[in-house]
Amino acid sequence: GFEFKTLGKNWWQLDTSFIKKLTISNTSSSGTAPTSRNYTNTFTFDLTHFRKGGLTIPIFFFRDFYFNNDITFDLDTEYSHTYKTIDPGNAKNLEDFIEEESSRTLTIEPIISYNLTTWVSGNLHFTYKLTDDKTTGRTEIKDVGFYLAFKIRG
């Protein structure tokens, strides 16, 4: 894969990767499973933006109050295709293999993380996952959530 990152206070980062994997199970003795080939093709794309800033609130008769805040926007995407082919028993070449299993998955996950001062942090996230499976059919998952943390010092 490739990774690119800009320099500076407010930076961007881009990560991409493509993975191709093949696992061959070759058993030719009688009474065992036929020769099978498991393929996995995965493409990932991640984009991150970090922004550092703050907010000053003027308070009369006191020192100005400064809120430090950092925000990170992260977009993670992944596409995966996994499938399995088997030898029907008389295959002369790879075109004679039969597709037994197949699954395609698309996942999109944006996350916004923030730090409001050193005492409060959290994130807001959304997950969208679409799966198309040869056996179970098409499923779609949507999930929204948040996380909030307060530091307590005593």
Side-chain angles (χ1 to χ4, degrees), residues 88-106:
N90 56 356
K92 301 280 189 256
N93 54 35
L94 292 178
E95 285 80 29
D96 296 335
F97 276 58
I98 299 170
E99 184 178 81
E100 184 179 55
E101 300 171 9
S102 178
S103 178
R104 297 174 194 263
T105 304
L106 172 67

Side-chain angles (χ1 to χ4, degrees), residues 12-15 45-49 73-77 111:
W12 289 85
Q13 183 173 343
L14 172 70
D15 296 327
F45 175 83
D46 300 329
L47 180 65
T48 304
H49 178 59
F73 175 75
D74 192 13
L75 177 63
D76 298 336
T77 58
I111 301 170

Side-chain angles (χ1 to χ4, degrees), residues 1-151:
F2 294 101
E3 179 179 322
F4 304 100
K5 185 175 180 182
T6 62
L7 300 175
K9 183 172 116 175
N10 302 320
W11 51 264
W12 289 85
Q13 183 173 343
L14 172 70
D15 296 327
T16 61
S17 67
F18 183 68
I19 300 168
K20 291 181 72 77
K21 181 179 172 183
L22 170 61
T23 306
I24 300 172
S25 174
N26 191 8
T27 54
S28 59
S29 60
S30 62
T32 61
T35 299
S36 65
R37 299 170 64 90
N38 292 313
Y39 298 87
T40 303
N41 300 317
T42 304
F43 175 73
T44 61
F45 175 83
D46 300 329
L47 180 65
T48 304
H49 178 59
F50 177 81
R51 188 151 191 88
K52 187 172 190 64
L55 174 68
T56 302
I57 298 175
I59 301 175
F60 298 109
F61 305 112
F62 293 104
R63 208 174 48 179
D64 291 343
F65 191 71
Y66 179 74
F67 277 110
N68 182 26
N69 65 10
D70 303 329
I71 295 176
T72 305
F73 175 75
D74 192 13
L75 177 63
D76 298 336
T77 58
E78 179 180 304
Y79 174 76
S80 178
H81 182 205
T82 304
Y83 59 101
K84 178 181 180 180
T85 59
I86 60 170
D87 180 1
N90 56 356
K92 301 280 189 256
N93 54 35
L94 292 178
E95 285 80 29
D96 296 335
F97 276 58
I98 299 170
E99 184 178 81
E100 184 179 55
E101 300 171 9
S102 178
S103 178
R104 297 174 194 263
T105 304
L106 172 67
T107 306
I108 301 172
E109 199 169 13
I111 301 170
I112 299 173
S113 303
Y114 51 87
N115 290 324
L116 302 173
T117 73
T118 56
W119 307 102
V120 180
S121 64
N123 72 29
L124 176 65
H125 60 272
F126 174 74
T127 302
Y128 176 78
K129 186 173 185 177
L130 179 64
T131 303
D132 190 10
D133 192 281
K134 186 175 184 175
T135 308
T136 59
R138 180 177 266 194
T139 58
E140 186 178 42
I141 298 172
K142 296 176 186 173
D143 183 34
V144 177
F146 67 93
Y147 167 77
L148 189 59
F150 295 97
K151 284 186 183 177

